[in-house]
Amino acid sequence: MSYGPDAVAHDAEGKAIFVSGAVAGDTVRVRVDREEDRWAHATTLEVLSGSDARVTPACPYASVCGGCPWAALSYEAQTQAKRAGVVDALARVGRMGTERAEALVAPLVSPSEPWGYRNKVELAVSHEGGRVSLGMHGRGEKDVVKVTSCALLDRRHAKAVKAVSGALGYLAGSHHLDLERVGIRVSQRTREVEVALWDRPGGFPRAQAAKVLADALSPTSVVRVMQKGPAKARKIAGVECLSGAGSWGEQVGDERMRVSAPSFFQVNTRGAEKLVDLVLEALRPAADEEAMDLYCGAGTFTLPLARRAGFVSAVESYGPAVRDLRRNIDSAGLDNVDPIGGDAGREFPDVDADVIVVDPPRAGLAADVVSRLSEQPARAIAYVSCDPATLARDLARFAEAGTFAPARVTPVDLFPQTFHVETVTLLERA
């Protein structure tokens, strides 16, 4: 399997062919739909002989919906492929070589069930002929798949997709809705359900939207998130609370958190707890130590870190997340955290940290942040990554700086039925 939805084959000359609709071990008849000098892409037309790792997906929409591209691959095979993908990235991109990468990467940890683990789904919206249609994002870029439930969403709320789609589709029959997407967040622990309606500034049937959603789902919060700017550079123009709390609450370990609709939060709550456990186990923060938490979001690592360390400098650049962070710190009654709003490179804390957590976006760490971290006197860094390739690149940069070296890399499966894999890397002084 590739680090992507496709399986990989090779032609007689050794060229890599990325095959959609197949799993490793299949024999398939395909149509080649893209040809490049060093690789090609093909689409499966027929499975002639199924792999031993091929299974019947638990979701009837798996072949057309984009949410679970590995659903036809057995879960055991998924775990093997994800660990192998991390090893491959470290060996090639990180220039470690296979032997060292194999020694560094621990067995993959699976903190949740393979299905029904998500606390969030996003519905796609299509506007055709004056009609609004909502459903799951399809395999194609603009495809919208109408579904009655989502097998990845927490089982207690699996029907929320149909309820929200139906309610908003009904409302669109009598009111203009220029929706771009709709987010649904649910919690098994707090029983909270939030519906977030993403659109552009302008007129909106606020009261009517709140009412139809209340009748269909009884959410604890309905919000409208207004965006402005071009499609690839959207900025939040405002958030309106249409009903309820105006934010979503979740329990992560011993910490109760509130998260606004624009803020990032891990879609797998049990997985988030496992990441926290691995980070704390790696760093072993003490009461007299100074800690740093970069790209901290709403405080998933900040809060438990502050319970153990003497002081935490927490840096986050995204405005809504910074506001959530400050609210969560206040609610937790913590007075040993300095929440800093801004880019991690420009607002790098002026402290000598003993332990550090970094949890950057998919693009990884900026080169200047790696340099700044390498100048710290810290005894350990926990690097939480959602992309093996950028992790491997950054570990190579740390190796060039010569201050910190990876001691172990633990893959964590926060996203079963997909190719995505999270990792927690412990870096110790070289």
Side-chain angles (χ1 to χ4, degrees), residues 146-419:
K146 290 187 177 182
V147 303
T148 57
S149 65
C150 174
L152 291 181
L153 191 62
D154 175 77
R155 289 182 177 86
R156 295 185 185 211
H157 302 92
K159 298 293 184 180
V161 171
K162 181 180 179 181
V164 171
S165 299
L168 294 176
Y170 169 78
L171 181 64
S174 56
H175 294 79
H176 176 67
L177 292 180
D178 193 21
L179 296 173
E180 295 185 343
R181 57 190 167 107
V182 176
I184 305 173
R185 271 179 168 154
V186 302
S187 171
Q188 187 181 90
R189 297 165 181 193
T190 67
R191 302 291 192 269
E192 293 196 30
V193 178
E194 180 174 77
V195 179
L197 310 173
W198 294 71
D199 72 344
R200 311 280 276 185
F204 189 82
R206 298 170 178 80
Q208 296 86 344
K211 185 179 187 310
V212 297
L213 288 168
D215 292 342
L217 193 63
S218 299
T220 56
S221 175
V222 178
V223 298
R224 177 191 180 202
V225 184
M226 293 166 286
Q227 303 178 102
K228 61 182 180 180
K232 293 186 178 181
R234 291 279 197 263
K235 292 185 178 180
I236 303 297
V239 179
E240 293 182 341
C241 176
L242 305 187
S243 69
S247 62
W248 176 71
E250 181 61 300
Q251 183 87 21
V252 183
D254 296 329
E255 304 295 342
R256 188 72 173 258
M257 301 179 63
R258 296 213 69 83
V259 183
S260 60
S263 291
F264 170 80
F265 187 81
Q266 292 288 2
V267 299
N268 186 329
T269 299
R270 288 187 181 179
E273 289 178 334
K274 176 52 67 174
L275 295 180
V276 171
D277 289 345
L278 288 169
V279 165
L280 294 177
E281 176 188 321
L283 297 181
R284 306 181 312 279
D288 61 346
E289 288 189 313
E290 181 99 17
M292 190 186 298
D293 185 5
L294 304 185
Y295 314 92
C296 65
T300 303
F301 298 108
T302 307
L303 302 183
L305 197 57
R307 304 282 187 194
R308 294 159 178 80
F311 194 83
V312 182
S313 298
V315 183
E316 171 57 43
S317 63
Y318 190 49
V322 174
R323 290 189 285 273
D324 290 340
L325 171 67
R326 289 174 173 151
R327 175 173 54 186
N328 289 327
I329 291 169
D330 290 342
S331 297
L334 296 167
D335 59 4
N336 62 334
V337 180
D338 180 17
I340 303 168
D343 175 77
R346 291 193 296 269
E347 301 295 336
F348 197 92
D350 186 19
V351 299
D352 289 336
D354 298 291
V355 292
I356 300 171
V357 183
V358 294
D359 184 11
R362 197 168 302 280
L365 299 172
D368 65 314
V369 174
V370 173
S371 298
R372 298 289 295 274
L373 288 169
S374 297
E375 295 168 358
Q376 281 285 307
R379 59 176 175 79
I381 298 173
Y383 185 158
V384 182
S385 169
C386 60
D387 188 290
T390 55
L391 168 69
R393 179 204 66 198
D394 292 344
L395 293 183
R397 289 173 173 172
F398 275 111
E400 291 173 5
T403 309
F404 292 97
R408 67 174 176 272
V409 179
T410 305
V412 187
D413 192 10
L414 265 66
F415 315 99
Q417 315 312 324
T418 81
F419 57 89

Side-chain angles (χ1 to χ4, degrees), residues 10-35:
H10 292 86
D11 66 12
E13 286 73 41
K15 177 189 285 189
I17 315 292
F18 295 90
V19 184
S20 65
V23 303
D26 279 346
T27 300
V28 293
R29 186 168 64 87
V30 305
R31 179 182 66 251
V32 176
D33 45 37
R34 184 174 179 182
E35 188 91 39

Side-chain angles (χ1 to χ4, degrees), residues 83 90 214 284:
R83 182 185 180 276
L90 296 182
R284 306 181 312 279

